Amino acid sequence: MRNELTTPRLSLRPFTLDDVDDLHALLADPLTHTIGAGPFTTVAQTEQWIRNRITAQRDHGLIWYAVHDKGTLIGNCGLFRGRAGIEIGYLIHHSRRGLGYASEAAAAVLEECRAAGIGPVWATIRPGNAPSIRIAERVGLRLARTEKGLLVYVA
């Protein structure tokens, strides 16, 4: 995968430890980080999150991108090895939601996956997360199955 992707509004690049403060502001925000165990409470958690993404890139070639709009970090989007195989995920700051940023970033990442021969790519989404379902469908993922209370989409 290429290290830098661009769309009409966004620039995407892999996270580095230099991003820890800006990323922590996103991951510690309870209105933005609503998945998993919820918002991060320490900068050390954010540092470890970045280290895990750096390791995944080194070991598997999977990149988790910092999503910037005009130089401002507004979210993230990328790939990880999940329960369904290679999965895509995305997170956009709550103040920027509903403006198409997640769809734009996810479309760019999926296009890069196709160019790099990576696939299939999955997304697991909670049934009540209607915005994430719309994003998945907007970028061409289709419902493959329901598993353990999650909707599993595939590209």
Side-chain angles (χ1 to χ4, degrees):
M1 295 183 72
R2 291 179 296 153
N3 275 339
E4 296 192 19
L5 307 177
T6 58
T7 72
R9 297 184 295 174
L10 305 173
S11 62
L12 292 82
R13 62 161 180 75
F15 279 99
T16 69
L17 290 174
D18 291 338
D19 297 311
V20 71
D21 292 331
D22 290 338
L23 180 60
H24 187 67
L26 294 175
L27 297 180
D29 180 351
L31 296 176
T32 299
H33 191 211
T34 60
I35 62 169
F40 285 9
T41 57
T42 68
V43 172
Q45 286 175 288
T46 303
E47 287 175 356
Q48 188 59 52
W49 187 95
I50 293 172
R51 287 181 202 286
N52 292 346
R53 290 344 176 255
I54 291 169
T55 298
Q57 182 178 359
R58 182 193 68 224
D59 294 351
H60 308 293
L62 303 178
I63 299 178
W64 200 281
Y65 295 96
V67 177
H68 291 89
D69 178 22
K70 298 180 183 92
T72 300
L73 180 68
I74 63 164
N76 61 58
C77 181
L79 303 175
F80 64 99
R81 289 196 181 275
R83 53 188 158 255
I86 296 175
E87 293 192 46
I88 188 168
Y90 34 82
L91 176 135
I92 298 294
H93 188 270
H94 71 88
S95 69
R96 303 282 189 114
R97 291 183 181 159
L99 302 172
Y101 289 114
S103 295
E104 193 171 326
V109 170
L110 288 172
E111 182 178 318
E112 183 63 18
C113 287
R114 285 188 286 278
I118 297 171
V121 176
W122 301 85
T124 54
I125 304 170
R126 294 180 196 142
N129 190 344
S132 190
I133 292 168
R134 284 192 300 274
I135 292 162
E137 292 172 346
R138 196 173 294 128
V139 299
L141 278 72
R142 66 184 191 291
L143 182 62
R145 66 182 183 271
T146 301
E147 176 182 297
K148 297 180 183 176
L150 298 171
L151 302 175
V152 181
Y153 285 76
V154 66

